[in-house]
Amino acid sequence: MNNRIKKVLMFLSQGVEDLEAVTIMDVLGWTKVRDNLTPVYLKTCAFHDKVKGKFGVEFTPNFNLKKEEPDYTQFDAFVLPGGFHNAGFDEAYSKHLHKIIQTIHAQGGIIATMCVGILPVADSGLLENKKATTYHLSRFHDNVSRLQEGKAIYTQNKIEVDNNIISCAGPASSLEVAYLLLEKLTGKNNTEEVKKLMIY
């Protein structure tokens, strides 16, 4: 496992699914509670100075992408939680975000998504003939069709991993996505130690 410090960038849309964002923050945060663990450092970005989750959690991103661009070459992974389209998630379909996803993936980075967070990845062109899953119970959006329009192979699985891209069917799987991401970044032993500390 590469000993370079691992860094993750997570995008927060307005209307983000609170649990999906917070789960990533929490699991990666636990990597820094013991000296024997391999730490992973998280930075957040958005198109706003403040972001409000669908269910009320308020976030202050490290980077407002309208004002400041981080150095994307410094990140080993990009995380895109899902959200609610009627609360602002539509901004995640920005071409600006497509570029970030493509850049981090092209340098060997992991793309971890939850729920509808996989749909902008499909739009970015990275899922052609690749397996993926998404939330299929939306009342007003055909998420599966949008995924397939990006030429992805929809598997209906709870969790899917292909081409270094993680997707899941909904927020109930967010903890598993966080652990998968951590394992890909730091290895199985480190992840098992974090799970043990969290009493998995």
Side-chain angles (χ1 to χ4, degrees), residues 138-150:
S138 295
R139 289 183 294 170
F140 306 112
H141 296 87
D142 187 348
N143 302 323
V144 173
S145 288
R146 183 153 192 168
L147 188 64
Q148 292 170 331
E149 284 168 11

Side-chain angles (χ1 to χ4, degrees), residues 105-152:
H105 187 264
Q107 63 198 27
I110 301 155
I111 308 297
T113 72
M114 288 153 279
C115 197
V116 296
I118 193 64
L119 302 182
V121 180
D123 287 357
S124 76
L126 293 182
L127 290 178
E128 185 171 353
N129 297 320
K130 304 301 180 186
K131 295 177 182 178
T133 191
T134 190
Y135 188 75
H136 67 279
L137 299 176
S138 295
R139 289 183 294 170
F140 306 112
H141 296 87
D142 187 348
N143 302 323
V144 173
S145 288
R146 183 153 192 168
L147 188 64
Q148 292 170 331
E149 284 168 11
K151 300 184 179 179

Side-chain angles (χ1 to χ4, degrees), residues 63-79:
F63 300 100
N64 179 338
L65 297 176
K66 292 182 178 178
K67 300 177 181 178
E68 179 184 10
E69 291 274 341
D71 179 0
Y72 300 117
T73 66
Q74 298 300 306
F75 293 99
D76 303 281
F78 181 75
V79 178

Side-chain angles (χ1 to χ4, degrees), residues 29-40:
W30 273 91
T31 67
K32 296 184 285 293
V33 302
R34 293 285 192 278
D35 291 339
N36 65 309
L37 295 171
T38 302
V40 178

Side-chain angles (χ1 to χ4, degrees), residues 59-194:
F59 302 92
T60 303
N62 297 108
F63 300 100
N64 179 338
L65 297 176
K66 292 182 178 178
K67 300 177 181 178
E68 179 184 10
E69 291 274 341
D71 179 0
Y72 300 117
T73 66
Q74 298 300 306
F75 293 99
D76 303 281
F78 181 75
V79 178
L80 183 52
F84 290 75
H85 292 88
N86 63 0
F89 182 77
D90 281 342
E91 66 186 0
Y93 298 104
S94 163
K95 291 190 182 302
H96 191 154
L97 212 61
H98 293 168
K99 181 180 177 182
I100 298 170
I101 293 166
Q102 291 163 347
T103 299
I104 293 177
H105 187 264
Q107 63 198 27
I110 301 155
I111 308 297
T113 72
M114 288 153 279
C115 197
V116 296
I118 193 64
L119 302 182
V121 180
D123 287 357
S124 76
L126 293 182
L127 290 178
E128 185 171 353
N129 297 320
K130 304 301 180 186
K131 295 177 182 178
T133 191
T134 190
Y135 188 75
H136 67 279
L137 299 176
S138 295
R139 289 183 294 170
F140 306 112
H141 296 87
D142 187 348
N143 302 323
V144 173
S145 288
R146 183 153 192 168
L147 188 64
Q148 292 170 331
E149 284 168 11
K151 300 184 179 179
I153 302 165
Y154 173 57
T155 67
Q156 303 183 51
N157 292 333
K158 187 174 73 168
I159 299 276
E160 194 58 73
V161 184
D162 197 352
N163 195 29
N164 235 15
I165 298 171
I166 303 168
S167 55
C168 78
S173 298
S174 57
L175 185 57
E176 189 173 348
V177 169
Y179 286 144
L180 274 170
L181 173 63
L182 181 59
E183 184 171 337
K184 281 181 168 289
L185 289 171
T186 67
K188 187 174 182 61
N189 290 342
N190 192 64
T191 303
E192 290 302 319
E193 284 296 311
V194 169

